[in-house]
Amino acid sequence: MKSMLLALLMLLPWKLKRALLQRFLRYELDPTSRIGLAWVYPRRLVMKAGASIGHLNVVRDLDLLELAEHASIGRLNWISAYPLGRPPHFMHLAQRAPVLIVGEHAAITNRHIIDCTERVRIGRFTTFAGFRSQILTHSIDLQDCRQHAMPVEIGDYCFIGTACTLLGGAVLPHHSVLGANSLLGKHMDQPYMLYGGVPAVAIKPMPEEAGYFQRTTGFVV
């Protein structure tokens, strides 16, 4: 019954849907934020001024989805997590946080898969670009023979090319580029760098004066 009601709710005009989401699910939605025709039902949802979620997205089992000012999620993305309190997996991770935090003017474009079993943070003015990229925060620990999860951190003013994969424990420093078709599975620490390859390595420095790194609005014309 609950699933049917949520399905009906997603079909309503946005102004009415926003009011119902705020009243019954206690979501924090700025009047200028917007959600399209999409299944977006984390336990807690925060959308600041100008934040948007496009059509045909699925967001499920997250403890928190937070979009800062003018952050956006495009279309046809699948964003999910293994929820808290559901045994037997991940019980050894007492501080696990199945959340997605998207910074101001950051963008997730179209047709990506993001696993938020552990925290995923996407920094300010960052573009998770192209399509068919993945973030996978959990996997099997072969040594201990159990499920394990680690967070993924993407810094400010980063650019993620199409068809990339980021694994649990990956850190992309601020003002960095991850080239198309790359696999990032560890902590990188040099900003203003192009990373790429399988596995990703530092390829060459990026110019600090590049226009992309100087933007004051997220949208690139």
Side-chain angles (χ1 to χ4, degrees):
M1 179 63 72
K2 180 180 178 180
S3 295
M4 292 180 61
L5 291 174
L6 293 177
L8 290 173
L9 180 59
M10 63 181 278
L11 299 174
L12 296 175
W14 169 237
K15 288 186 178 180
L16 176 57
K17 180 165 65 174
R18 185 181 70 223
L20 294 174
L21 290 172
Q22 290 173 313
R23 178 176 178 83
F24 294 107
L25 297 182
R26 305 300 182 191
Y27 287 170
E28 300 171 42
L29 305 173
D30 186 270
T32 61
S33 66
R34 185 173 183 84
I35 302 175
L37 179 63
W39 184 276
V40 180
Y41 295 117
R43 187 188 66 80
R44 183 180 172 214
L45 176 61
V46 178
M47 297 181 68
K48 299 297 181 64
S52 64
I53 300 175
H55 297 310
L56 303 179
N57 289 288
V58 172
V59 179
R60 52 174 296 176
D61 295 328
L62 273 66
D63 207 46
L64 168 67
L65 172 60
E66 181 174 333
L67 276 68
E69 290 82 358
H70 302 287
S72 65
I73 296 175
R75 301 179 300 278
L76 289 164
N77 297 289
W78 183 280
I79 303 171
S80 62
Y82 194 91
L84 292 174
R86 183 181 294 176
H89 304 316
F90 310 109
M91 299 302 289
H92 63 293
L93 299 174
Q95 303 301 316
R96 183 171 69 89
V99 306
L100 173 60
I101 309 295
V102 185
E104 63 179 295
H105 288 274
I108 298 169
T109 59
N110 306 317
R111 290 179 280 172
H112 301 297
I113 297 174
I114 301 178
D115 160 42
C116 299
T117 295
E118 183 57 284
R119 180 186 304 272
V120 174
R121 185 182 299 272
I122 297 175
R124 301 165 51 249
F125 293 91
T126 283
T127 309
F128 200 78
F131 59 96
R132 292 191 299 107
S133 287
Q134 301 180 73
I135 296 177
L136 303 172
T137 61
H138 84 280
S139 183
I140 294 177
D141 183 327
L142 298 179
Q143 181 65 37
D144 293 335
C145 193
R146 66 182 179 188
Q147 296 280 346
H148 189 62
M150 299 175 67
V152 168
E153 183 86 18
I154 302 172
D156 298 342
Y157 285 91
C158 288
F159 182 89
I160 311 297
T162 195
C164 287
T165 299
L166 291 84
L167 303 179
V171 175
L172 188 67
H174 63 90
H175 298 85
S176 296
V177 175
L178 183 62
N181 292 289
S182 295
L183 170 65
L184 180 62
K186 64 180 183 179
H187 187 147
M188 299 300 189
D189 58 9
Q190 299 179 67
Y192 296 100
M193 184 66 66
L194 168 63
Y195 296 94
V198 180
V201 296
I203 296 176
K204 66 176 183 179
M206 297 292 296
E208 296 188 19
E209 69 277 10
Y212 182 85
F213 297 146
Q214 310 301 322
R215 292 158 31 248
T216 58
T217 60
F219 186 71
V220 177
V221 295

